[in-house]
């Protein structure tokens, strides 16, 4: 089965539908969370974990040695990470029922304190993930490890100054094993990105800093996989790569799409059912019970 075959794309589409169901159910049950960005970035992470990334959930540790490594910089988008990790075998699906509950390792933002398999760094304070991923990428180069480091950032998050300090660091150290993924949905907590800091120069800004810049459709698996392939092929050039994925906040549910209203709002029980009616159950829902240790 080739990377961009019809069968591959259909398989990834089915996984994405289930991941979006997980996101809606988790946030609704917790009466708290951030579904908008989790929904918009679901296809990106599904493609990464189920097709692109070289990783072994059964032999994972935080060092990332001998495997590709993923960092979630925009920590509030944890529901999509938790779903993808569980669905790809890092921990039991039953843990998803404990999202944001006291005593659960599945908290609102990922934390290493819970020793949750697949979580490389504690995140939530925006702007820090690219720095951490750059450090990992440099360590891999020093160790002679040929694997990649990936990091997912939000477009609004890229207004943080630390992002650009890390971008400069990555270019200076020729981190061609570092691939930044930007969920470019054009929305942030207080409104459209264009109204806050502007987005017209967004791709040019990365290019000026010295990165290889790719733009892809974040909801078209053909486009997503092609961009990942081009990014990985850039290794050996001494240049880090950023993929700007054009997405829709709340993708997959008609009343959530294209607005910042669902950045950090949980669906009611009725809204949850409405959303689930638009998302096909393809892999089986996780148990309703709170099961975690």
């Amino acid at each position: 089965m080739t990377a961009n075959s019809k069968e591959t794309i259909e398989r990834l589409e089915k996984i994405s539908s289930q991941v979006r169901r997980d996101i809606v159910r988790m946030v609704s049950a917790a009466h708290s969370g951030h579904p908008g960005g989790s929904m918009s970035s679901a296809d990106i992470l599904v493609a990464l974990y189920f097709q692109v990334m070289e990783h072994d959930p059964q032999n994972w540790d935080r060092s990332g040695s001998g495997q590709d490594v993923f960092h979630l910089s925009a920590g509030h988008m944890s529901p999509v990470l938790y779903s993808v990790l569980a669905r790809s075998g890092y921990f039991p699906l039953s843990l998803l029922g404990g999202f944001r509950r006291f005593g659960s390792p599945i908290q609102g933002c990922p934390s290493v304190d819970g020793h949750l398999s697949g979580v490389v760094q504690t995140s939530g304070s925006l702007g820090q993930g690219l720095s951490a991923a750059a450090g990992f990428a440099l360590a891999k180069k020093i160790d002679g490890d040929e694997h990649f480091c990936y990091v997912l950032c939000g477009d609004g998050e890229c207004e943080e100054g630390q992002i650009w300090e890390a971008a400069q660091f990555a270019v200076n150290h020729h981190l061609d094993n570092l691939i930044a993924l930007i969920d470019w949905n054009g929305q942030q907590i207080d409104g459209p990105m264009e109204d806050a800091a502007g987005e017209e120069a967004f791709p040019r800004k990365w290019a000026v800093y010295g990165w290889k810049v790719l733009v892809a459709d974040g909801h078209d698996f053909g486009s997503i996989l092609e961009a990942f392939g081009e990014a990985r092929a850039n290794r050996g050039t001494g240049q880090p790569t950023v993929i700007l994925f054009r997405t829709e906040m709340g993708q997959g549910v008609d009343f959530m799409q294209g607005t910042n209203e669902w950045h950090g709002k949980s669906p009611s029980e009725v809204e949850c059912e409405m959303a689930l009616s638009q998302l096909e159950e393809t892999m089986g829902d996780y148990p309703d019970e709170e099961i975690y240790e």
Side-chain angles (χ1 to χ4, degrees), residues 141 146 148 150 170-171 174-180 210-214 226-243:
K141 278 190 169 289
E146 293 296 316
F148 287 91
Y150 298 90
V171 170
H174 310 291
L175 301 182
D176 52 8
N177 59 341
L178 175 62
I179 301 175
W211 287 59
K212 180 178 178 64
V213 181
L214 305 174
E226 183 179 349
F228 273 123
E230 190 172 347
R232 291 175 67 92
N234 194 50
R235 187 169 60 188
T237 67
Q239 182 184 38
T241 301
V242 59
I243 309 175

Side-chain angles (χ1 to χ4, degrees), residues 24 39 250-257 274-276 278-279:
V24 169
M39 301 279 276
Q251 174 71 12
V253 176
D254 56 11
F255 62 86
M256 289 185 173
Q257 285 183 198
M274 290 171 58
L276 293 178
Q278 300 178 39
L279 299 166

Side-chain angles (χ1 to χ4, degrees), residues 234-280:
N234 194 50
R235 187 169 60 188
T237 67
Q239 182 184 38
T241 301
V242 59
I243 309 175
L244 304 175
F245 287 105
R246 293 302 325 221
T247 62
E248 285 281 337
M249 182 168 277
Q251 174 71 12
V253 176
D254 56 11
F255 62 86
M256 289 185 173
Q257 285 183 198
T259 171
N260 71 312
E261 179 183 352
W262 293 93
H263 170 86
K265 175 184 175 181
S266 62
S268 66
E269 186 175 337
V270 171
E271 290 168 330
C272 178
E273 290 304 317
M274 290 171 58
L276 293 178
S277 71
Q278 300 178 39
L279 299 166
E280 182 184 1

Side-chain angles (χ1 to χ4, degrees), residues 14-41:
K14 288 182 178 297
I15 298 171
S16 277
S17 182
Q18 187 66 58
V19 166
R20 288 190 170 96
R21 286 182 66 89
D22 291 346
I23 292 166
V24 169
R25 294 181 65 228
M26 291 163 66
V27 175
S28 178
H31 307 293
S32 178
H34 297 78
S38 295
M39 301 279 276
S40 63
S41 60

Side-chain angles (χ1 to χ4, degrees), residues 36-81:
S38 295
M39 301 279 276
S40 63
S41 60
D43 298 326
I44 303 166
L45 289 198
V46 165
L48 180 65
Y49 272 84
F50 290 89
Q51 187 64 33
V52 175
M53 197 161 72
E54 297 180 6
H55 63 119
D56 181 0
Q58 304 308 313
N59 294 287
W60 178 90
D61 63 53
R62 282 187 63 206
S63 74
S65 178
Q67 301 191 36
D68 289 344
V69 174
F70 173 76
H71 293 254
L72 178 64
S73 186
H76 60 279
M77 298 195 301
S78 63
V80 65
L81 176 62

